[in-house]
Amino acid sequence: MPGAVDQDTFDRSRRVGWLNLDAIFRTRVLMIGAGALGNEVGKCLALSGFRRVTVVDMDHVVGSNLNRCLFFTQEDARTGSKKAEVVARGIMDISPDARARAVVGRLEDLPGSFYDGFDIVLGCLDNIAARIHANSHAYHAGRPYIDGGMEGFIGRVMACLPPDGPCVQCGMNRSHAKVANMRFSCTGEGVVFHEPRLAAEITTTSIVSAVMVRECLKIASGRKDMTLRNTFYYDGQRNVAEEMEVPLDPRCPNHPPQVLQVSENHIMSGSVQ
Ligand SMILES: [Zn+2]
């Protein structure tokens, strides 16, 4: 007969000293994007103990999603199931105590106050315009924003911790800005501009999602001291993984003057953060 500890779903997590499971259970997570990255992030959130998850996505499942999306089935592709609804249901299948909610719609149509209802925002997005939008709204709401992205075997995770850290937009160059207002979609709906479809590969997606949820665990457990500062870069072809700091860009519109002053003081004193 198994002992009491083997009856407890989270016994092994409780043995990690710094994890605060009660806080993790309570943390309200907003997950934007339910594609390949959203599937993997949803899985990691559910298994890690995050129970209050809201999933936002406007798209439906298509056949080309199926080689890297845990929760999507052939039947979902045939019937055009909504990605957000399938992922929310998948989270609750893994974790019966979870209350996952799906919001089917455009990120840009959500009111700014929507972000106030969450403790952490996760960007599982495939385009720059949505990434800038989510980053800006999370930053102005004062919510930690964790952004993931992949291109083939290259992965990147950025953790933004307002009010005094850099944000995703700080790390974007001018070529990003050129396409910031152009919308594209892998299902072809509402397309005004097509970027070449990115090479997508599940092992890189798994690594990026794991790092994103790992940072969620730290933030939810009150351990911002251990959180990324602030970009994790991974190259699966060269077998390289490293942490890189993105400086706060004084031209970035998301930072009020007093934050820039603090940042400059830190730079002058040689402090990392
Ligand atoms: Zn910024």
Side-chain angles (χ1 to χ4, degrees):
M1 288 285 289
V5 294
D6 289 324
Q7 304 287 356
D8 177 5
T9 301
F10 290 98
D11 172 73
R12 301 308 189 264
S13 297
R14 293 184 206 285
R15 296 173 190 228
V16 180
W18 58 265
L19 279 180
N20 184 340
L21 275 169
D22 289 335
I24 291 165
F25 293 154
R26 289 193 307 269
T27 298
R28 301 165 300 173
V29 178
L30 172 59
M31 192 178 99
I32 305 172
L37 188 54
N39 271 256
E40 290 293 301
V41 165
K43 175 202 74 178
C44 289
L45 286 172
L47 290 174
S48 297
F50 288 98
R51 294 173 171 174
R52 303 177 70 182
V53 181
T54 296
V55 185
V56 177
D57 199 296
M58 64 181 282
D59 277 333
H60 58 267
V61 178
V62 295
S64 64
N65 300 141
L66 299 181
N67 74 333
R68 58 195 184 283
C69 296
L70 173 73
F71 296 124
F72 297 168
T73 64
Q74 291 281 0
E75 180 67 6
D76 290 321
R78 192 183 66 76
T79 60
S81 301
K82 297 297 185 185
K83 291 181 177 179
E85 293 175 349
V86 177
V87 171
R89 199 162 51 239
I91 289 171
M92 290 190 285
D93 286 344
I94 290 176
S95 173
D97 292 319
R99 293 291 173 268
R101 185 166 68 104
V103 176
V104 178
R106 281 165 41 89
L107 172 63
E108 294 82 356
D109 292 337
L110 297 172
S113 59
F114 184 75
Y115 292 75
D116 295 337
F118 302 94
D119 303 302
I120 300 175
V121 181
L122 293 171
C124 307
L125 296 158
D126 64 357
N127 72 84
I128 298 162
R131 193 168 270 130
I132 289 176
H133 185 96
N135 167 71
S136 171
H137 281 74
Y139 209 93
H140 286 284
R143 300 300 188 262
Y145 176 64
I146 302 172
D147 186 81
M150 300 87 59
E151 166 62 56
F153 283 85
I154 304 288
R156 179 195 50 76
V157 177
M158 185 167 182
C160 309
L161 303 175
D164 57 355
C167 72
V168 167
Q169 207 165 334
C170 289
M172 288 188 170
N173 59 32
R174 290 180 184 173
S175 64
H176 282 117
K178 279 183 185 173
V179 295
N181 292 320
M182 299 175 181
R183 163 77 192 151
F184 60 93
S185 158
C186 60
T187 60
E189 287 184 358
V191 176
V192 295
F193 176 79
H194 266 296
E195 280 193 351
R197 286 181 179 147
L198 299 178
E201 187 277 322
I202 184 60
T203 65
T204 306
T205 307
S206 294
I207 288 168
V208 167
S209 67
V211 173
M212 292 174 72
V213 176
R214 186 193 70 194
E215 296 311 300
C216 269
L217 289 169
K218 295 174 186 172
I219 294 168
S221 298
R223 296 303 303 265
K224 289 184 182 177
D225 58 308
M226 297 195 298
T227 307
L228 271 176
R229 302 196 183 280
N230 34 51
T231 297
F232 171 83
Y233 173 84
Y234 168 77
D235 181 340
Q237 283 184 217
R238 294 192 300 130
N239 306 316
V240 170
E242 56 191 341
E243 185 181 25
M244 298 188 296
E245 189 169 0
V246 173
L248 194 148
D249 182 352
R251 295 166 302 176
C252 176
N254 293 323
H255 310 288
Q258 63 270 26
V259 173
L260 295 176
Q261 186 63 47
V262 169
S263 176
E264 285 169 7
N265 290 343
H266 279 191
I267 291 169
M268 290 175 68
S269 67
S271 170
V272 173
Q273 277 285 317

